[in-house]
Amino acid sequence: MARASVILAMILLLKSYLKSTYGLSEEKCIKWVPGKKSAIGDKPAIRKIDRPLQWEKLPLATREILTPEDIKTQQDTFVQLWEADPVIAEPEEDIPMADV
């Protein structure tokens, strides 16, 4: 479970990095459809900021989770990244579940 949260946190960190590096808005990312050509044509992304991805924000991405303290640190880091993402919403309580 802890490794899965590291992987998801890496995705959230990468998403934030790409958006800031290429100056992409959340709206533009949501509207993007793979393979669909735009009316004005596709143009290459231009890097707005030239800096590497900072893995220091996610220390357990580059080392093993060995102790209960590591698990707690990862949990806290994941929650911070999750809450910082403007798109991730709380699940709706009143949505009925389909019978499987």
Side-chain angles (χ1 to χ4, degrees):
M1 185 75 129
R3 287 312 297 165
S5 76
V6 171
I7 293 167
L8 290 173
M10 290 171 73
I11 292 168
L12 291 172
L13 192 61
L14 180 59
K15 175 185 170 186
S16 175
Y17 170 77
L18 291 172
K19 284 173 50 182
S20 65
T21 298
Y22 292 100
L24 301 170
S25 68
E26 191 62 43
E27 182 180 349
K28 188 169 189 166
C29 293
I30 290 171
K31 288 182 178 179
W32 181 72
V33 178
K36 181 181 177 188
K37 301 287 183 187
S38 68
I40 59 172
D42 292 335
K43 49 186 180 178
I46 297 171
R47 195 178 275 217
K48 307 281 184 198
I49 302 170
D50 192 19
R51 63 178 166 83
L53 182 57
Q54 300 295 315
W55 289 112
E56 292 80 25
K57 293 180 182 179
L58 191 58
L60 293 170
T62 58
R63 67 178 178 86
E64 287 187 75
I65 297 174
L66 300 173
T67 66
E69 291 80 21
D70 289 345
I71 293 171
K72 177 68 173 134
T73 299
Q74 173 54 32
Q75 179 184 18
D76 294 343
T77 303
F78 177 77
V79 168
Q80 288 173 355
L81 288 169
W82 183 270
E83 290 175 347
D85 193 301
V87 175
I88 300 172
E90 291 292 319
E92 296 291 330
E93 296 288 333
D94 58 347
I95 297 176
M97 298 297 287
D99 292 330
V100 181

